[in-house]
Coordinates of all heavy atoms in Angstrom, one line a residue:
A678 N 103.3 95.3 98.5 CA 104.3 94.3 98.4 C 103.6 92.9 98.4 O 102.5 92.8 99.0 CB 105.3 94.4 99.5
D679 N 104.3 91.9 97.9 CA 103.7 90.6 97.8 C 104.4 89.6 98.8 O 105.5 89.2 98.5 CB 103.9 90.1 96.3 CG 103.3 88.8 96.0 OD1 103.1 88.0 96.9 OD2 103.1 88.5 94.8
V680 N 103.7 89.3 99.8 CA 104.2 88.5 100.9 C 104.6 87.1 100.4 O 105.6 86.5 100.8 CB 103.3 88.4 102.1 CG1 103.7 87.4 103.1 CG2 103.1 89.8 102.8
A681 N 103.7 86.5 99.5 CA 104.0 85.1 99.1 C 105.3 85.1 98.2 O 106.1 84.2 98.3 CB 102.8 84.6 98.3
A682 N 105.4 86.1 97.3 CA 106.7 86.2 96.5 C 107.9 86.4 97.5 O 108.9 85.9 97.2 CB 106.5 87.3 95.5
G683 N 107.6 87.2 98.5 CA 108.7 87.5 99.5 C 109.2 86.2 100.2 O 110.4 86.0 100.5
E684 N 108.3 85.3 100.4 CA 108.6 84.0 101.0 C 109.6 83.2 100.2 O 110.6 82.6 100.6 CB 107.4 83.1 101.3 CG 107.7 81.8 102.0 CD 106.5 81.1 102.5 OE1 105.4 81.4 102.1 OE2 106.7 80.1 103.2
Q685 N 109.4 83.3 98.9 CA 110.3 82.6 97.9 C 111.7 83.3 98.0 O 112.7 82.6 98.0 CB 109.8 82.7 96.5 CG 108.4 82.1 96.3 CD 108.2 80.7 96.8 OE1 109.0 79.8 96.5 NE2 107.3 80.4 97.7
V686 N 111.7 84.6 98.0 CA 113.0 85.3 98.1 C 113.7 84.9 99.4 O 114.9 84.7 99.4 CB 112.8 86.8 98.0 CG1 114.1 87.6 98.2 CG2 112.1 87.2 96.7
F687 N 113.0 84.9 100.5 CA 113.5 84.5 101.8 C 114.1 83.1 101.7 O 115.3 82.9 102.2 CB 112.5 84.6 102.8 CG 113.0 84.4 104.2 CD1 113.4 85.6 105.0 CD2 113.1 83.2 104.8 CE1 113.9 85.4 106.3 CE2 113.6 83.0 106.1 CZ 114.0 84.1 106.8
N688 N 113.4 82.2 101.2 CA 113.9 80.8 101.2 C 115.2 80.7 100.4 O 116.1 79.9 100.7 CB 112.8 79.8 100.7 CG 111.7 79.7 101.7 OD1 111.9 79.9 102.9 ND2 110.5 79.3 101.2
A689 N 115.3 81.4 99.3 CA 116.4 81.3 98.4 C 117.6 82.1 98.9 O 118.8 81.8 98.6 CB 116.0 81.8 97.0
N690 N 117.4 83.2 99.7 CA 118.5 84.1 100.0 C 118.8 84.4 101.5 O 119.9 84.9 101.8 CB 118.2 85.5 99.4 CG 118.2 85.5 97.9 OD1 119.2 85.5 97.2 ND2 117.0 85.4 97.3
C691 N 117.9 84.0 102.3 CA 118.0 84.4 103.7 C 118.0 83.2 104.7 O 118.6 83.3 105.8 CB 116.8 85.3 104.1 SG 116.4 86.6 102.9
A692 N 117.3 82.1 104.2 CA 117.1 81.0 105.1 C 118.4 80.3 105.6 O 118.4 79.7 106.6 CB 116.1 80.0 104.5
A693 N 119.5 80.5 104.8 CA 120.7 79.9 105.2 C 121.2 80.4 106.6 O 121.7 79.6 107.4 CB 121.8 80.1 104.2
C694 N 120.9 81.6 106.9 CA 121.2 82.2 108.2 C 120.0 82.4 109.1 O 120.2 82.6 110.3 CB 121.9 83.5 108.0 SG 123.5 83.4 107.1
H695 N 118.8 82.5 108.5 CA 117.6 82.9 109.2 C 116.5 81.9 109.1 O 115.3 82.3 109.2 CB 117.1 84.3 108.7 CG 118.0 85.4 109.0 ND1 118.4 85.9 110.2 CD2 118.7 86.3 108.1 CE1 119.2 86.9 110.1 NE2 119.4 87.2 108.9
A696 N 116.7 80.7 109.0 CA 115.7 79.7 109.0 C 114.8 79.8 110.2 O 115.3 79.9 111.3 CB 116.2 78.3 108.9
G697 N 113.5 79.8 110.0 CA 112.5 79.9 111.1 C 112.6 81.2 111.8 O 112.1 81.3 112.9
G698 N 113.2 82.2 111.2 CA 113.2 83.5 111.8 C 114.4 83.6 112.8 O 114.5 84.6 113.6
Q699 N 115.3 82.6 112.8 CA 116.4 82.6 113.8 C 117.6 83.3 113.1 O 117.5 83.9 112.1 CB 116.7 81.2 114.2 CG 115.5 80.6 115.0 CD 115.0 81.4 116.1 OE1 115.7 81.7 117.1 NE2 113.7 81.9 116.0
N700 N 118.7 83.2 113.8 CA 120.0 83.8 113.3 C 121.1 82.9 113.7 O 121.4 82.8 114.9 CB 120.2 85.2 113.8 CG 121.3 86.0 113.2 OD1 122.3 85.4 112.8 ND2 121.2 87.3 113.0
V701 N 121.7 82.2 112.8 CA 122.8 81.2 113.1 C 124.1 81.9 113.4 O 125.0 81.3 114.0 CB 122.9 80.1 112.0 CG1 121.7 79.3 111.8 CG2 123.4 80.7 110.7
I702 N 124.3 83.2 113.0 CA 125.6 83.8 113.3 C 125.5 84.6 114.6 O 126.5 84.6 115.3 CB 125.9 84.7 112.1 CG1 126.1 83.8 110.8 CG2 127.2 85.5 112.3 CD1 126.5 84.6 109.6
M703 N 124.5 85.4 114.8 CA 124.3 86.2 116.0 C 123.0 85.8 116.6 O 122.0 86.4 116.3 CB 124.4 87.7 115.7 CG 125.7 88.2 115.2 SD 125.8 90.0 115.2 CE 125.8 90.3 117.0
P704 N 123.0 84.8 117.5 CA 121.8 84.1 117.9 C 120.7 85.1 118.5 O 119.6 84.8 118.5 CB 122.3 83.1 118.9 CG 123.7 82.8 118.5 CD 124.2 84.1 118.0
E705 N 121.2 86.2 119.1 CA 120.2 87.1 119.8 C 119.5 87.9 118.7 O 118.4 88.4 119.0 CB 120.8 87.9 120.9 CG 121.8 89.0 120.4 CD 123.2 88.6 120.0 OE1 123.4 87.4 119.8 OE2 124.1 89.4 119.9
K706 N 120.1 88.1 117.6 CA 119.5 89.0 116.6 C 118.6 88.3 115.6 O 118.9 88.1 114.4 CB 120.6 89.8 115.8 CG 121.3 90.8 116.8 CD 122.1 91.8 116.1 CE 122.6 92.9 117.1 NZ 123.4 93.9 116.4
T707 N 117.5 87.7 116.2 CA 116.6 87.0 115.4 C 115.7 87.9 114.6 O 115.8 89.1 114.7 CB 115.7 86.1 116.3 OG1 114.8 86.9 117.0 CG2 116.6 85.3 117.3
L708 N 114.7 87.3 113.9 CA 113.7 88.1 113.1 C 112.4 88.0 113.9 O 111.3 88.3 113.3 CB 113.6 87.6 111.7 CG 114.9 87.4 110.9 CD1 114.6 87.0 109.5 CD2 115.8 88.6 111.0
E709 N 112.4 87.6 115.1 CA 111.2 87.7 116.0 C 110.8 89.1 116.3 O 111.7 90.0 116.3 CB 111.5 86.9 117.3 CG 112.0 85.5 117.1 CD 110.9 84.4 116.9 OE1 109.8 84.8 116.7 OE2 111.3 83.2 116.9
K710 N 109.6 89.3 116.6 CA 109.0 90.6 116.9 C 109.9 91.4 117.9 O 110.3 92.5 117.7 CB 107.6 90.4 117.5 CG 106.7 91.6 117.5 CD 105.3 91.1 117.8 CE 104.3 92.3 117.8 NZ 104.4 93.1 119.1
E711 N 110.2 90.7 119.1 CA 110.8 91.5 120.1 C 112.3 91.8 119.7 O 112.8 92.9 120.1 CB 110.9 90.6 121.4 CG 109.5 90.3 122.0 CD 108.7 89.3 121.3 OE1 109.2 88.6 120.4 OE2 107.5 89.2 121.5
A712 N 113.0 90.9 119.0 CA 114.3 91.2 118.6 C 114.4 92.3 117.6 O 115.2 93.2 117.6 CB 115.0 90.0 118.0
L713 N 113.4 92.3 116.6 CA 113.4 93.4 115.6 C 113.1 94.8 116.3 O 113.7 95.8 116.0 CB 112.3 93.2 114.6 CG 112.5 91.9 113.7 CD1 111.4 91.8 112.7 CD2 113.9 92.0 113.0
E714 N 112.2 94.7 117.3 CA 111.9 96.0 118.1 C 113.2 96.5 118.8 O 113.4 97.7 118.9 CB 110.8 95.8 119.0 CG 109.4 95.7 118.3 CD 108.3 95.2 119.1 OE1 108.5 94.7 120.2 OE2 107.2 95.1 118.5
Q715 N 114.0 95.5 119.3 CA 115.1 95.9 120.1 C 116.3 96.3 119.3 O 117.1 97.2 119.6 CB 115.5 94.7 121.1 CG 116.6 95.0 122.1 CD 116.7 93.9 123.1 OE1 116.0 93.0 123.2 NE2 117.8 94.1 123.9
Y716 N 116.6 95.5 118.2 CA 117.9 95.7 117.5 C 117.8 96.3 116.1 O 118.8 96.8 115.7 CB 118.5 94.3 117.4 CG 118.8 93.6 118.6 CD1 118.2 92.3 118.9 CD2 119.7 94.1 119.6 CE1 118.5 91.7 120.1 CE2 120.0 93.4 120.7 CZ 119.4 92.2 121.0 OH 119.7 91.5 122.2
L717 N 116.7 96.2 115.4 CA 116.7 96.6 114.0 C 116.8 98.2 114.0 O 116.0 98.8 114.6 CB 115.5 96.1 113.3 CG 115.4 96.5 111.8 CD1 116.6 95.9 111.0 CD2 114.1 96.0 111.2
A718 N 117.8 98.7 113.3 CA 117.9 100.2 113.1 C 116.7 100.7 112.5 O 116.4 100.3 111.4 CB 119.2 100.5 112.3
G719 N 116.0 101.7 113.1 CA 114.8 102.2 112.6 C 113.6 101.6 113.0 O 112.5 102.1 112.7
G720 N 113.7 100.5 113.8 CA 112.5 99.9 114.4 C 111.9 98.7 113.6 O 112.4 98.4 112.5
R721 N 110.9 98.1 114.1 CA 110.3 96.9 113.4 C 109.3 97.4 112.4 O 108.1 97.5 112.6 CB 109.6 96.0 114.4 CG 109.2 94.7 113.8 CD 108.6 93.8 114.9 NE 107.3 94.3 115.3 CZ 106.1 94.0 114.6 NH1 106.1 93.2 113.6 NH2 105.0 94.5 115.1
N722 N 109.8 97.7 111.2 CA 108.9 98.1 110.0 C 109.6 97.7 108.7 O 110.8 97.5 108.7 CB 108.6 99.6 110.1 CG 109.8 100.5 110.0 OD1 110.4 100.6 108.9 ND2 110.3 100.9 111.1
E723 N 108.8 97.7 107.7 CA 109.3 97.3 106.4 C 110.4 98.1 105.8 O 111.4 97.6 105.3 CB 108.1 97.2 105.3 CG 107.1 96.1 105.7 CD 106.0 95.9 104.7 OE1 106.1 96.4 103.5 OE2 104.9 95.4 105.1
K724 N 110.3 99.4 106.0 CA 111.4 100.3 105.5 C 112.7 100.0 106.2 O 113.8 100.0 105.5 CB 111.0 101.8 105.7 CG 111.9 102.8 105.1 CD 111.3 104.1 105.0 CE 112.2 105.1 104.3 NZ 113.4 105.4 105.1
A725 N 112.7 99.7 107.5 CA 113.9 99.4 108.2 C 114.5 98.1 107.7 O 115.7 97.9 107.5 CB 113.7 99.3 109.7
V726 N 113.7 97.1 107.4 CA 114.2 95.8 106.8 C 114.8 96.0 105.4 O 115.8 95.5 105.1 CB 113.1 94.7 106.8 CG1 113.6 93.4 106.2 CG2 112.5 94.4 108.2
I727 N 114.1 96.8 104.6 CA 114.6 97.1 103.3 C 116.0 97.8 103.4 O 116.9 97.4 102.6 CB 113.6 98.1 102.6 CG1 112.3 97.3 102.2 CG2 114.2 98.7 101.3 CD1 111.2 98.2 101.7
N728 N 116.1 98.7 104.3 CA 117.4 99.4 104.5 C 118.5 98.3 104.8 O 119.6 98.4 104.2 CB 117.4 100.5 105.5 CG 116.6 101.7 105.0 OD1 116.5 101.9 103.8 ND2 116.1 102.5 106.0
Q729 N 118.2 97.5 105.8 CA 119.3 96.5 106.2 C 119.6 95.5 105.1 O 120.7 95.1 104.9 CB 118.9 95.8 107.5 CG 120.0 94.8 107.9 CD 120.1 94.6 109.4 OE1 119.8 95.5 110.2 NE2 120.7 93.5 109.8
V730 N 118.6 95.0 104.4 CA 118.8 94.0 103.3 C 119.5 94.7 102.2 O 120.5 94.1 101.6 CB 117.4 93.4 102.9 CG1 117.6 92.6 101.6 CG2 116.8 92.6 104.0
T731 N 119.2 95.9 101.9 CA 119.9 96.6 100.8 C 121.4 96.8 101.1 O 122.2 96.6 100.2 CB 119.2 97.9 100.5 OG1 117.8 97.7 100.2 CG2 119.9 98.7 99.3
N732 N 121.6 97.3 102.3 CA 123.0 97.7 102.6 C 123.8 96.7 103.4 O 125.0 96.9 103.5 CB 122.9 99.0 103.5 CG 122.2 100.1 102.7 OD1 122.5 100.4 101.5 ND2 121.2 100.7 103.3
G733 N 123.2 95.7 104.0 CA 123.9 94.7 104.9 C 124.2 95.4 106.2 O 124.0 96.6 106.4
K734 N 124.8 94.6 107.1 CA 125.2 95.1 108.4 C 126.2 94.0 109.0 O 125.8 92.9 109.2 CB 124.0 95.3 109.3 CG 124.4 95.9 110.7 CD 123.2 96.1 111.6 CE 123.7 96.7 112.9 NZ 122.6 96.7 113.9
N735 N 127.4 94.5 109.3 CA 128.4 93.6 109.9 C 128.5 92.3 109.1 O 128.8 92.3 107.9 CB 128.1 93.3 111.4 CG 128.1 94.6 112.2 OD1 129.0 95.4 112.0 ND2 127.2 94.8 113.1
A736 N 128.2 91.1 109.7 CA 128.4 89.8 109.0 C 127.2 89.5 108.0 O 127.3 88.5 107.3 CB 128.5 88.7 110.0
M737 N 126.2 90.4 108.0 CA 125.1 90.1 107.0 C 125.4 90.9 105.7 O 125.7 92.0 105.7 CB 123.8 90.7 107.6 CG 122.7 90.5 106.5 SD 121.0 90.8 107.3 CE 120.1 91.4 105.8
P738 N 125.4 90.1 104.6 CA 125.8 90.7 103.3 C 124.8 91.7 102.8 O 123.6 91.6 103.1 CB 125.9 89.5 102.4 CG 125.1 88.4 103.0 CD 125.1 88.7 104.5
A739 N 125.2 92.6 102.0 CA 124.3 93.5 101.3 C 123.7 92.8 100.1 O 124.3 92.1 99.3 CB 125.0 94.8 100.8
F740 N 122.3 93.0 99.9 CA 121.7 92.4 98.8 C 121.3 93.4 97.7 O 120.6 93.1 96.7 CB 120.4 91.7 99.3 CG 120.8 90.4 100.0 CD1 121.0 90.4 101.4 CD2 120.8 89.2 99.3 CE1 121.4 89.3 102.0 CE2 121.2 88.0 100.0 CZ 121.4 88.0 101.4
G741 N 121.7 94.7 97.9 CA 121.3 95.7 97.0 C 121.7 95.5 95.5 O 121.0 95.9 94.6
G742 N 122.8 94.8 95.3 CA 123.3 94.5 94.0 C 122.8 93.2 93.4 O 123.1 92.9 92.3
R743 N 122.2 92.4 94.3 CA 121.8 91.0 93.9 C 120.3 90.8 93.8 O 119.9 89.9 93.1 CB 122.4 90.1 94.9 CG 123.9 90.1 95.0 CD 124.5 89.6 96.3 NE 124.0 88.2 96.6 CZ 124.3 87.6 97.8 NH1 125.0 88.2 98.7 NH2 123.9 86.4 98.0
L744 N 119.5 91.6 94.5 CA 118.1 91.5 94.4 C 117.5 92.8 93.9 O 118.1 93.9 94.1 CB 117.5 91.2 95.8 CG 117.9 89.9 96.4 CD1 117.3 89.8 97.9 CD2 117.3 88.7 95.6
G745 N 116.4 92.7 93.2 CA 115.7 93.9 92.7 C 115.0 94.6 93.8 O 114.7 94.0 94.9
D746 N 114.7 95.9 93.6 CA 113.9 96.6 94.6 C 112.6 96.0 95.0 O 112.2 96.0 96.1 CB 113.6 98.1 94.1 CG 114.9 98.9 94.0 OD1 116.0 98.5 94.6 OD2 114.8 100.0 93.5
D747 N 111.9 95.4 94.0 CA 110.7 94.7 94.2 C 110.9 93.5 95.1 O 110.1 93.2 96.0 CB 110.0 94.4 92.9 CG 110.8 93.6 91.9 OD1 112.1 93.5 92.1 OD2 110.3 92.9 91.0
E748 N 111.9 92.7 94.8 CA 112.2 91.5 95.6 C 112.5 91.9 97.0 O 112.1 91.2 98.0 CB 113.4 90.7 95.0 CG 113.1 90.1 93.6 CD 114.3 89.5 93.0 OE1 115.3 90.2 92.8 OE2 114.3 88.3 92.7
I749 N 113.3 93.0 97.2 CA 113.6 93.4 98.6 C 112.4 93.9 99.3 O 112.2 93.6 100.5 CB 114.7 94.5 98.5 CG1 116.0 93.8 98.0 CG2 114.9 95.1 99.9 CD1 117.2 94.8 97.8
A750 N 111.5 94.6 98.6 CA 110.3 95.1 99.3 C 109.4 93.9 99.6 O 108.8 93.8 100.7 CB 109.5 96.0 98.3
N751 N 109.4 92.9 98.8 CA 108.5 91.7 99.0 C 109.1 90.9 100.2 O 108.3 90.4 101.1 CB 108.5 90.8 97.8 CG 107.6 91.4 96.7 OD1 106.8 92.3 96.9 ND2 107.8 90.9 95.5
V752 N 110.4 90.7 100.3 CA 111.0 89.9 101.4 C 110.8 90.7 102.7 O 110.6 90.1 103.8 CB 112.5 89.5 101.1 CG1 113.5 90.6 101.4 CG2 112.8 88.3 101.9
A753 N 110.9 92.0 102.7 CA 110.7 92.8 103.9 C 109.2 92.6 104.4 O 109.0 92.5 105.6 CB 111.0 94.3 103.6
A754 N 108.3 92.6 103.5 CA 106.9 92.4 103.8 C 106.7 91.0 104.5 O 106.0 90.9 105.5 CB 106.0 92.6 102.6
Y755 N 107.4 90.0 103.9 CA 107.3 88.7 104.5 C 107.9 88.6 105.9 O 107.4 88.0 106.8 CB 108.0 87.7 103.5 CG 108.2 86.3 104.1 CD1 107.1 85.5 104.2 CD2 109.4 85.8 104.5 CE1 107.2 84.2 104.8 CE2 109.5 84.6 105.1 CZ 108.4 83.8 105.2 OH 108.5 82.5 105.8
V756 N 109.1 89.3 106.1 CA 109.7 89.3 107.4 C 108.8 89.9 108.5 O 108.6 89.4 109.5 CB 111.1 90.0 107.3 CG1 111.6 90.3 108.7 CG2 112.1 89.1 106.6
I757 N 108.2 91.1 108.1 CA 107.4 91.8 109.1 C 106.1 91.0 109.4 O 105.7 90.8 110.5 CB 107.0 93.2 108.6 CG1 108.3 94.1 108.6 CG2 105.9 93.8 109.5 CD1 109.0 94.2 109.9
S758 N 105.5 90.4 108.3 CA 104.3 89.6 108.4 C 104.6 88.4 109.3 O 103.8 88.0 110.2 CB 103.8 89.2 107.0 OG 103.0 88.1 107.1
S759 N 105.7 87.7 109.0 CA 106.1 86.5 109.8 C 106.4 86.8 111.3 O 106.1 86.0 112.2 CB 107.3 85.8 109.1 OG 106.9 85.4 107.8
S760 N 107.0 88.0 111.5 CA 107.3 88.4 112.9 C 106.0 88.6 113.7 O 105.9 88.3 114.8 CB 108.2 89.6 113.0 OG 107.5 90.8 112.6
E761 N 105.0 89.1 113.0 CA 103.7 89.3 113.6 C 103.0 87.9 113.9 O 102.4 87.7 114.9 CB 102.8 90.2 112.7 CG 103.1 91.6 113.0 CD 102.6 92.5 111.8 OE1 102.0 92.1 110.9 OE2 103.0 93.7 111.9
A762 N 103.2 87.0 113.0 CA 102.6 85.6 113.1 C 103.4 84.7 114.0 O 103.0 83.6 114.3 CB 102.5 85.0 111.7
G763 N 104.6 85.2 114.5 CA 105.4 84.3 115.3 C 106.2 83.2 114.6 O 106.7 82.3 115.2
W764 N 106.4 83.4 113.3 CA 107.2 82.5 112.5 C 106.6 81.0 112.6 O 107.3 80.1 112.3 CB 108.7 82.5 112.8 CG 109.3 83.8 112.3 CD1 109.5 84.9 113.1 CD2 109.8 84.1 111.0 NE1 110.1 85.9 112.3 CE2 110.3 85.4 111.1 CE3 109.9 83.4 109.8 CZ2 110.8 86.1 109.9 CZ3 110.5 84.0 108.7 CH2 111.0 85.3 108.8
E765 N 105.4 80.9 113.0 CA 104.7 79.6 113.1 C 105.7 78.5 113.5 O 106.0 77.6 112.8 CB 104.1 79.2 111.7 CG 103.2 80.3 111.2 CD 101.9 80.4 111.9 OE1 101.0 79.5 111.7 OE2 101.6 81.4 112.6
Ligands
HEM1724 C1 120.3 90.6 110.9 C2 117.0 90.1 107.4 C3 120.2 87.4 104.9 C4 123.2 87.4 108.7 C5 119.1 90.7 110.2 C6 118.0 91.5 110.5 C7 117.1 91.4 109.6 C8 117.6 90.5 108.6 C9 115.7 92.0 109.5 C10 117.9 92.3 111.8 C11 117.6 91.3 113.0 C12 117.8 91.9 114.3 O1 118.5 92.9 114.5 O2 117.2 91.3 115.3 C13 117.6 89.3 106.4 C14 117.0 89.1 105.1 C15 117.9 88.4 104.4 C16 119.1 88.1 105.2 C17 115.6 89.5 104.7 C18 117.8 87.9 102.9 C19 117.5 88.9 101.9 C20 121.2 87.1 105.7 C21 122.3 86.2 105.4 C22 123.1 86.1 106.5 C23 122.6 87.1 107.4 C24 122.4 85.3 104.1 C25 124.4 85.3 106.7 C26 125.3 85.2 105.7 C27 122.7 88.3 109.6 C28 123.4 88.8 110.7 C29 122.6 89.7 111.4 C30 121.4 89.8 110.6 C31 124.8 88.3 111.1 C32 123.0 90.5 112.6 C33 123.7 91.8 112.0 C34 124.2 92.7 113.2 O3 123.4 93.4 113.8 O4 125.4 92.7 113.4 N1 118.9 90.1 109.0 N2 118.8 88.8 106.4 N3 121.4 87.6 106.9 N4 121.5 88.9 109.5 FE1 120.2 88.9 108.0

């Protein structure tokens, strides 16, 4: 997966709710390392992010019909990479 391409997908589709790895709707469910480990179904890994982005969850919309599989894989790689880096 292409992390740099994933950053572009993130800025265009996710940052409205998740700027800086935060969550404006459910503040505890951030994209930080510890929150992903605690809350993300399937654990903190790219496949789990792909599943949630594809299918959505509660107030988070599903992107399966709006983004391609490659775009979803790239944004998942960006989320995991950024969680490791602490979202700078
Ligand atoms: C949760 C990624 C777009 C709202 C999450 C989580 C991830 C994620 C990985 C799990 C975080 C955790 O449990 O700690 C993404 C990505 C997006 C995206 C990669 C773009 C492709 C959005 C948008 C919104 C949104 C646009 C708001 C309209 C939420 C909400 C949750 C969440 C409300 C908590 C869901 C729950 O557990 O009830 N997101 N998100 N997300 N996201 Fe997104």
Side-chain angles (χ1 to χ4, degrees):
D679 183 336
V680 172
E684 181 172 11
Q685 304 304 310
V686 175
F687 188 90
N688 289 338
N690 296 279
C691 319
C694 297
H695 292 298
Q699 299 306 299
N700 187 327
V701 299
I702 297 182
M703 292 193 69
E705 72 279 19
K706 293 197 171 177
T707 72
L708 310 186
E709 306 277 6
K710 194 169 184 282
E711 295 75 13
L713 295 180
E714 285 165 357
Q715 186 171 354
Y716 300 118
L717 181 60
R721 189 180 69 86
N722 62 77
E723 291 181 23
K724 188 164 184 290
V726 177
I727 288 170
N728 285 338
Q729 179 149 336
V730 170
T731 301
N732 300 311
K734 184 179 177 188
N735 299 319
M737 175 166 153
F740 287 86
R743 295 157 58 185
L744 295 174
D746 290 349
D747 55 341
E748 292 175 302
I749 292 173
N751 290 341
V752 81
Y755 173 71
V756 167
I757 294 300
S758 161
S759 298
S760 75
E761 279 160 6
W764 290 93
E765 306 287 290

